[in-house]
Amino acid sequence: MLLIVCPYCGKRPEIEFTYGGQAHLARPDQPSQLDDQAWAEFLYMRSNTKGVYAERWRHARGCGRFFNALRDTTSDHFLAFYKTGEPRPVLSTSPAPPAQSVAARTDAAASPVTERKI
Amino acid sequence: MSRQSFSGLSLLWRGLSRHAGWQKQWRKPEPKARYDAIIVGGGGHGLGAAYYLAKEHGLANIAVLEKGWIGGGNTGRNTTIIRSNYLFNESAALYDHSVKLWENLSQVLNYNVMFSPRGVMMLAHTVHDIQVIKRHVHANRCNGVDNEWLEPAQAKEFCPPLNIEENIRYPVLGAALQRRGGTARHDAVAWGYARAADALGVDIIENCEVTGIRRDAGGAVEGLDTTRGVIHSRKVGISAAGHTSVILALAGVQVPLESYPLQALVSEPVKPIFPCVVMSNTIHAYISQSDKGELVIGAGTDAYTSYTQRGALHINMHTLDAICELFPNFRRLRMMRNWGGIVDVTPDRSPIIAKTPVPGLYVNCGWGTGGFKATPGSAHVFAWTIARDEPHPINAPFTIERFRDGHLIDEAAAAAVAH
C-alpha cells in the first residue's frame, strides 16, 4: 500500500485516497472548435509514462480535495506532492528536495530518479 | 527440423528408457539480419501470432523477440480463465472464435495445454446484477454463445462449496453458467505455441529488448534496434501487453492505453474440492482450482498506473474477504504466493488488434484484465492482419480509430467483464 502525503492533511495510507489519473489535462477552452481527433485525444489519450508521472489523487476519505503528485511508475516511489493549480515541480537529481515535499522525499530517498531501470 | 511427436505411446516408451533422449522443445538461435516478419513480445499472443503466420500464411522467415523469457509476463501470471460470454456482437465473435480454437488446441499443437471446459459461473448479488446477467445470457444465446441462468440452488448444485445463505453481506441471488468455459495451463500455452512455431522455422529470441523502431524515408517500418543488434523487417507486430505504449512511442505512435497492476494469488494445494470457475464482478473475486490443487484467485486492478509488477495488499484482502464469505470452507486455507502483472487497459475495455498509422507496424494490445482467454483467437486474427495488411473480419471493429469515430465496444459498462 502506498503512503501518500496529502498537501492539506499530511501522510496517510492509500486506502483514504482515490486515483484521478494523469494530471495537467485542461479541458479545451473552445469545445465546439475541436475536431473528432482532438476530442479523442483529450478524452482517451494518456501518456502512460514509464518513469516520472504527474498524476492526480483525491483525499476522498479525508479532506476531499484533489492534489497532484509526481510518482516514478517503475518503482511506485513518490517524488513530490503539490496542490492543484501549482506547476509541476522540476526534479533535480541533487539531494536537496523541493521545500513542500520534504516528507515524500524522505520516503523516496533510497530511490533517486537516476536509479531507474528502463 | 524434425520434431518428436508427443503421444501416450511416446511417453510410455521414453519412461521405460528412463526419459533419456527427449529433444529440446525449441532452438535458441542467434538473430538473423533480416526477417519477413517480426513479432515483439513472447507471450501467448505473440508466439501464437508467429505460429499462425508460419502455419496459415506461408511466411517462413519469422522471429519473435522477447525482452525476458517467453511466457514470463502476463501469460505466466494470470488466472487462466477461458470464457466467451461477452455482451456485444463484436466481442462475442472474437472471444468465441478463441474458445473454438481452444477446444482443439492440444491436438493442433501436439502439446497438452490442459484445456478444461469445466464451466464458468458468474454470480449475481443484487437486483441490478440479475438484470445485467440475464441480459447477457439472452445476448449470448442470440450470438450462438452458450450461457444459461441458474437459480441459487442450481448454482450450489453445480458448485457445492458455494454459500447460498441469505444472511451474508452479498447473498447469491443467481448465476450465469457458460459450460464451454473453463481453464487451461498457462505455461503450456506459451510452450506449445513456441514449440510448434519453432518447428515451422520461427526464431524465438529471448533476452532481446527492442530499443528503437527504424523507418525508411517514406515513414514505413524497416527494422528494429535491439539489445542484440539491428534486425531488419518490413513487418513488425507489437504484442507487448503492459509495455505496448513504451514500444509504440519509439515510432511516435500513441494508443489509448493505461498500464495497471493486476494481482493474483494461490493457496496451498488441497485435494479436489472446486469443480468449476466462479467469478463475481460485483465483489471482485475469481476462483478456480488448478490441477496441482492450489486455489487460484484473482483480484481487481490496483488504483494507479504502474510498471512495477506488484500491487497493494489491501486489494488482495478485499478479494479474500469475498472468497471467505462465498466459500466458508476456505477460511483456514493459507495463501502461498501472490504476484502482479501489468495489464494494458483501453477506455472501453476492448482490445485493439489493428494496423497503426505507421506502414508495416501492427499492434495487438489493450487486453486489459482478460487476455488469456483470447490467446488463440487473438493470435490467429493478428497473424491474418500482419500477413494481408488488412484486418480479419473478426478484428475489423477493434481499431485504434474507433476512439475517434465513436464506435466504442463498451464492455466496461456492460459489466460482464472482470476488471
Side-chain angles (χ1 to χ4, degrees):
Chain A
M1 186 182 300
L2 304 177
L3 278 175
I4 298 175
V5 182
C6 170
Y8 305 96
C9 308
K11 189 189 285 187
R12 302 294 174 85
E14 181 194 332
I15 48 172
E16 292 190 15
F17 297 84
T18 51
Y19 188 63
Q22 188 174 346
H24 305 297
L25 295 175
R27 188 176 175 82
D29 285 336
Q30 302 286 339
S32 58
Q33 310 286 310
L34 260 52
D35 62 11
D36 290 350
Q37 185 63 39
W39 259 123
E41 284 176 15
F42 169 69
L43 288 173
Y44 300 126
M45 291 296 182
R46 299 294 179 264
S47 69
N48 201 22
T49 306
K50 185 179 184 183
V52 179
Y53 188 51
E55 62 192 9
R56 300 190 309 161
W57 287 89
R58 180 168 178 251
H59 195 185
R61 293 161 195 91
C63 65
R65 295 212 233 189
F66 277 97
F67 58 93
N68 295 335
L70 292 183
R71 182 173 53 91
D72 185 341
T73 59
T74 63
S75 66
D76 288 342
H77 281 121
F78 283 104
L79 304 169
F81 296 95
Y82 54 106
K83 293 176 181 174
T84 300
E86 292 178 352
R88 175 178 169 148
V90 179
L91 292 175
S92 67
T93 49
S94 68
Q100 66 186 12
S101 61
V102 174
R105 228 12 221 241
T106 315
D107 285 341
S111 158
V113 181
T114 48
E115 202 183 274
R116 284 189 290 121
K117 267 196 309 195
I118 299 290
Chain B
M1 62 191 282
S2 72
R3 180 73 61 193
Q4 282 174 342
S5 173
F6 291 129
S7 64
L9 201 60
S10 77
L11 199 62
L12 179 67
W13 175 249
R14 296 288 167 191
L16 291 173
S17 53
R18 296 177 180 273
H19 289 292
W22 286 115
Q23 284 178 340
K24 294 220 168 167
Q25 301 296 302
W26 53 86
R27 299 163 294 130
K28 296 229 178 251
E30 286 300 311
K32 293 184 217 164
R34 181 171 296 279
Y35 289 96
D36 295 338
I38 295 177
I39 304 290
V40 178
H45 291 245
L47 292 163
Y51 167 74
Y52 291 115
L53 273 173
K55 179 82 176 177
E56 300 197 351
H57 301 284
L59 294 184
N61 191 24
I62 304 168
V64 177
L65 308 186
E66 166 55 46
K67 178 173 68 171
W69 63 95
I70 61 168
N74 294 346
T75 297
R77 293 164 187 267
N78 70 89
T79 53
T80 74
I81 297 171
I82 294 167
R83 62 186 178 88
S84 60
N85 51 355
Y86 283 70
L87 180 63
F88 292 111
N89 299 344
E90 297 90 340
S91 315
L94 177 60
Y95 290 100
D96 213 49
H97 180 53
S98 199
V99 168
K100 286 172 186 159
L101 290 172
W102 277 116
E103 285 163 356
N104 295 316
L105 194 61
S106 294
Q107 288 73 26
V108 168
L109 299 179
N110 182 232
Y111 201 92
N112 188 2
V113 300
M114 298 165 76
F115 175 59
S116 164
R118 58 185 71 177
V120 172
M121 202 163 72
M122 303 176 79
L123 302 180
H125 302 280
T126 65
V127 172
H128 175 71
D129 279 356
I130 294 174
Q131 292 167 344
V132 167
I133 287 181
K134 282 188 174 173
R135 182 182 175 209
H136 273 78
V137 168
H138 297 312
N140 290 157
R141 293 172 74 171
C142 288
N143 274 321
V145 175
D146 73 303
N147 203 359
E148 60 195 271
W149 173 257
L150 302 183
E151 296 297 331
Q154 295 171 302
K156 170 104 179 150
E157 191 181 348
F158 191 72
C159 181
L162 182 65
N163 179 6
I164 56 168
E165 290 179 23
E166 292 170 5
N167 61 351
I168 64 175
R169 176 68 183 84
Y170 290 101
V172 175
L173 302 182
L177 173 64
Q178 185 179 22
R179 293 182 190 271
R180 286 162 65 228
T183 61
R185 168 90 181 133
H186 49 8
D187 292 329
V189 176
W191 298 338
Y193 272 124
R195 173 173 171 272
D198 181 86
L200 294 169
V202 173
D203 282 357
I204 296 164
I205 301 164
E206 295 174 300
N207 299 308
C208 182
E209 182 176 356
V210 172
T211 55
I213 297 178
R214 297 189 165 214
R215 297 164 69 181
D216 64 16
V221 169
E222 62 173 4
L224 298 171
D225 296 314
T226 76
T227 50
R228 297 181 67 171
V230 179
I231 307 175
H232 292 280
S233 179
R234 305 293 298 185
K235 285 177 181 282
V236 173
I238 309 294
S239 190
H243 276 73
T244 303
S245 303
V246 177
I247 295 177
L248 286 181
L250 299 172
V253 175
Q254 198 178 17
V255 281
L257 291 177
E258 289 192 287
S259 297
Y260 288 91
L262 179 66
Q263 297 182 76
L265 59 164
V266 292
S267 75
E268 58 190 326
V270 291
K271 288 184 178 177
I273 183 170
F274 207 76
C276 59
V277 179
V278 172
M279 311 177 54
S280 169
N281 295 333
T282 301
I283 54 178
H284 289 138
Y286 318 103
I287 181 168
S288 64
Q289 187 171 23
S290 75
D291 292 337
K292 284 191 288 186
E294 302 154 338
L295 293 172
V296 183
I297 296 170
T301 54
D302 276 76
Y304 47 84
T305 64
S306 179
Y307 288 87
T308 56
Q309 294 191 322
R310 59 174 181 264
L313 192 61
H314 69 267
I315 302 289
N316 294 321
M317 298 296 291
H318 176 73
T319 290
L320 291 176
D321 284 348
I323 296 289
C324 288
E325 182 127 302
L326 289 173
F327 308 102
N329 281 2
F330 300 156
R331 281 185 181 165
R332 294 176 66 188
L333 268 184
R334 282 164 291 213
M335 292 297 137
M336 277 206 313
R337 299 188 300 279
N338 77 315
W339 63 91
I342 299 301
V343 299
D344 45 328
V345 178
T346 57
D348 62 359
R349 303 303 196 274
S350 288
I352 296 168
I353 316 166
K355 299 163 71 169
T356 70
V358 175
L361 187 65
Y362 308 86
V363 67
N364 182 1
C365 67
W367 289 98
T369 59
F372 179 77
K373 66 174 79 69
T375 302
S378 150
H380 184 255
V381 297
F382 191 42
W384 174 296
T385 306
I386 294 171
R388 305 196 179 201
D389 196 37
E390 63 179 23
H392 187 281
I394 288 176
N395 68 306
F398 294 89
T399 61
I400 304 174
E401 291 76 23
R402 73 176 186 266
F403 297 96
R404 179 195 65 202
D405 300 337
H407 297 148
L408 302 185
I409 304 160
D410 197 2
E411 291 288 353
V417 206
H419 52 75

